[in-house]
């Protein structure tokens, strides 16, 4: 049986979400903006989804805006923050953000904004004090991701949020990898904006949401109808939105038990690979880490070849961000944690789903070891190294 271990790229839809999508597609066919009964049924389904999503993150329904994906929600949060006070032209963020945050910030930089990217340590975590020090009187926004999509590190969002609150600066967190996997309470975390995406927590593709604290104005990216109270024009993708609410409910209902089980399996895979594959290292902190993220650099075993070999053994893994891997760019996240370039190209990201069993975890370990051994057999560099002609990179 195939082992799908690329859940950081996208997750398999859960039965509860699928059946809700089928039901809503077939039965709730009206447009939520229409005044007749069919429309009002749709409006009720939409409100119900809003209430459910809001409750699960400690928000109120009016603070939730449905979007088409996490990328859209990230873009909208950033645009809204800069539009809130146009005299402020400075933004604080980090070096390990997703492209959905990095690219809009780069676009702002081309338009006169100054961006301060806070660095991370070797362990991939952000020091809240560094964020606080970067804040200036003209700072419009601080944006720090909750959990990293490549190396799985989880930031101390509550503390960063507190520093932002003290400084009176808006705070956004890209929580796409965290929502549905880690507990979220927007109040306790002191966030003004939080973004999520359904397909990262076993919901459908094509739905996400933006939490915006009551009182913060949102700018619409799309010009058109007055849907989402003028915050997001375009007829709502009701089946996907309802499916997202169902998926989030399921994920939150089983969160504690899933996190415990996945953390144990994650550590089993990490220890198994590090002990059975010589010259392999873990990227990112072992604690402060998503329960299902294993990111390892395997010296002299190129990720592209490893992925194909593992695919042949029935195991789906990746080298890092799905989008960046496709473009063949070296990962900015791995560079930011100080991984040397010759190791950046040797990183495997293994992100199994909750259905993973212990024997499957062991199969992952054995397959990674076998694939690495095969590639190293063919590697002139590796053979020279084991003859002692060159020092190993990893001491
Ligand atoms: C996947 C991802 C996104 C983008 O979400 P989409 O719904 O695919 O647009 C943004 N940020 C992070 C951290 C992600 O993992």
């Amino acid at each position: 049986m195939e082992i799908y271990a690329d859940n950081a790229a996208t997750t398999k839809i859960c039965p509860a979400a699928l059946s809700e999508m089928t039901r809503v597609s077939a039965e709730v066919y009206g447009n939520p903006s229409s005044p007749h009964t069919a429309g009002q049924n749709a409006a009720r389904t939409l409100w119900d989804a809003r209430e459910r999503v809001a409750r699960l993150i400690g928000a109120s329904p009016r603070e939730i805006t449905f979007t088409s994906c996490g990328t859209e929600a990230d873009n909208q949060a950033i645009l809204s923050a800069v539009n809130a006070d146009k005299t402020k032209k400075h933004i604080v963020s980090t070096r390990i953000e997703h492209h959905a945050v990095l690219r809009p910030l780069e676009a702002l930089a081309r338009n006169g904004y100054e961006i301060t990217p806070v660095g991370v340590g070797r362990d991939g975590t952000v020091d809240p004090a560094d964020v606080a020090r970067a804040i200036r009187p003209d700072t419009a926004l601080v944006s720090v991701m909750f959990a990293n999509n490549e190396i799985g590190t989880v930031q101390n969002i509550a503390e960063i949020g507190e520093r932002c609150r003290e400084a009176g600066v808006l705070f956004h967190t890209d929580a796409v990898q965290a929502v549905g996997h880690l507990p979220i309470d927007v109040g306790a975390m002191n966030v003004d904006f939080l973004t999520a995406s359904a397909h990262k927590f076993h919901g459908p593709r094509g739905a996400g949401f933006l939490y915006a604290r009551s009182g913060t104005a949102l700018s619409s990216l799309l010009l058109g109808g007055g849907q989402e109270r003028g915050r997001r024009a375009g007829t709502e993708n009701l089946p996907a939105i309802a499916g997202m609410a169902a998926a989030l409910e399921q994920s939150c209902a089983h969160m504690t038990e899933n996190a415990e089980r996945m953390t144990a399996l994650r550590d089993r895979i990490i220890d198994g690979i590090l002990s059975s594959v010589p010259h392999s290292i873990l990227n990112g902190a072992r604690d402060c880490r998503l329960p299902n993220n294993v990111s390892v650099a395997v010296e002299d075993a190129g990720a592209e070849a490893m992925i194909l070999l593992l695919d042949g053994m029935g195991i789906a893994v990746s080298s890092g961000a799905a989008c960046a891997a496709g473009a063949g760019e070296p990962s900015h996240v791995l560079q930011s944690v100080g991984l040397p370039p010759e190791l950046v190209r040797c990183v495997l990201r293994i992100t199994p789903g909750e259905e993973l069993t212990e024997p499957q975890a062991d199969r992952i370990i054995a397959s990674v070891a076998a694939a690495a051994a095969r590639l190293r057999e063919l590697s002139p560099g590796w053979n020279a190294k084991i003859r002692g002609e060159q020092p190993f990179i990893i001491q």
Side-chain angles (χ1 to χ4, degrees):
M1 203 177 63
E2 200 220 27
I3 300 174
Y4 179 73
D6 198 11
N7 282 264
T10 195
T11 61
K12 189 176 161 189
I13 196 160
C14 68
L18 195 57
S19 73
E20 181 68 347
M21 289 180 75
T22 311
R23 184 188 74 78
V24 171
S25 299
E27 297 171 14
V28 194
Y29 44 80
N31 186 321
S33 302
S34 300
H36 45 60
T37 305
Q40 290 311 292
N41 279 340
R44 245 191 311 277
T45 299
L46 184 62
W47 180 257
D48 177 59
R50 202 182 305 282
E51 274 186 337
R52 291 156 79 190
V53 165
R55 185 175 349 105
L56 295 165
I57 64 161
S60 72
R62 285 191 173 76
E63 295 175 312
I64 303 296
T65 299
F66 291 124
T67 64
S68 70
C69 60
T71 300
E72 184 189 340
D74 279 336
N75 274 258
Q76 189 169 11
I78 293 166
L79 179 78
S80 300
V82 301
N83 281 349
D85 184 347
K86 295 220 167 113
T87 65
K88 295 184 171 171
K89 301 266 185 199
H90 175 243
I91 296 172
V92 177
S93 190
T94 79
R95 293 196 185 277
I96 60 167
E97 298 300 310
H98 189 273
H99 284 129
V101 167
L102 283 183
R103 295 288 184 252
L105 293 183
E106 285 165 13
L108 286 169
R110 288 191 295 272
N111 282 297
Y113 281 79
E114 198 187 326
I115 316 293
T116 302
V118 173
V120 292
R122 192 77 184 81
D123 68 353
T125 63
V126 176
D127 183 347
D130 288 344
V131 176
R133 266 191 295 275
I135 295 174
R136 315 192 307 213
D138 63 339
T139 303
L141 175 72
V142 171
S143 180
V144 178
M145 76 194 317
F146 198 131
N148 186 268
N149 49 303
E150 293 188 46
I151 57 174
T153 47
V154 176
Q155 308 305 336
N156 190 343
I157 292 303
E159 191 175 335
I160 297 170
E162 206 176 304
R163 305 293 184 104
C164 293
R165 182 65 49 83
E166 284 163 12
V169 178
L170 289 171
F171 178 41
H172 164 244
T173 186
D174 172 343
V176 172
Q177 290 287 337
V179 172
H181 302 276
L182 299 173
I184 305 279
D185 180 340
V186 290
M189 283 162 37
N190 289 312
V191 294
D192 299 296
F193 301 104
L194 176 143
T195 51
S197 177
H199 77 99
K200 301 286 175 75
F201 52 80
H202 303 288
R205 280 158 257 215
F209 67 85
L210 169 58
Y211 157 83
R213 181 176 298 284
S214 160
T216 46
L218 278 191
S219 305
S220 184
L221 293 170
L222 302 176
L223 307 180
Q227 290 91 352
E228 297 295 284
R229 284 157 301 126
R231 296 161 149 212
R232 206 272 174 182
T235 301
E236 304 84 349
N237 185 352
L238 196 55
I241 290 168
M244 169 164 68
L248 190 54
E249 250 164 20
Q250 283 292 310
S251 298
C252 291
H254 303 287
M255 186 181 287
T256 313
E257 65 196 71
N258 279 341
E260 259 174 41
R261 226 177 58 80
M262 293 310 291
T263 302
L265 288 171
R266 172 198 77 191
D267 290 342
R268 187 182 180 91
I269 299 172
I270 293 173
D271 291 332
I273 292 178
L274 297 190
S275 64
S276 65
V277 184
H279 297 275
S280 59
I281 49 162
L282 178 69
N283 297 308
R286 192 192 263 262
D287 313 314
C288 318
R289 185 178 197 95
L290 284 169
N292 80 334
N293 177 290
V294 175
S295 170
V296 282
V298 181
E299 195 174 322
D300 264 302
E304 264 174 76
M306 284 290 281
I307 289 165
L308 292 178
L309 282 175
L310 288 166
D311 194 38
M313 302 175 189
I315 300 174
V317 300
S318 70
S319 57
C323 21
E329 299 166 24
S331 152
H332 62 282
V333 175
L334 296 169
Q335 289 174 324
S336 299
V337 296
L339 201 67
E342 58 280 21
L343 284 183
V344 168
R345 50 167 282 280
C346 295
V347 168
L348 280 187
R349 179 184 70 178
I350 305 167
T351 52
E354 292 79 7
E355 72 285 352
L356 188 80
T357 62
E358 220 170 78
Q360 287 178 327
D362 292 342
R363 207 180 110 200
I364 292 176
I365 298 164
S367 305
V368 168
R374 224 174 113 191
L375 287 181
R376 284 172 171 177
E377 241 169 63
L378 304 171
S379 156
W382 178 263
N383 284 312
K385 280 178 204 167
I386 52 178
R387 285 194 306 269
E389 290 164 17
Q390 253 178 276
F392 283 96
I393 299 163
I394 305 168
Q395 305 304 330

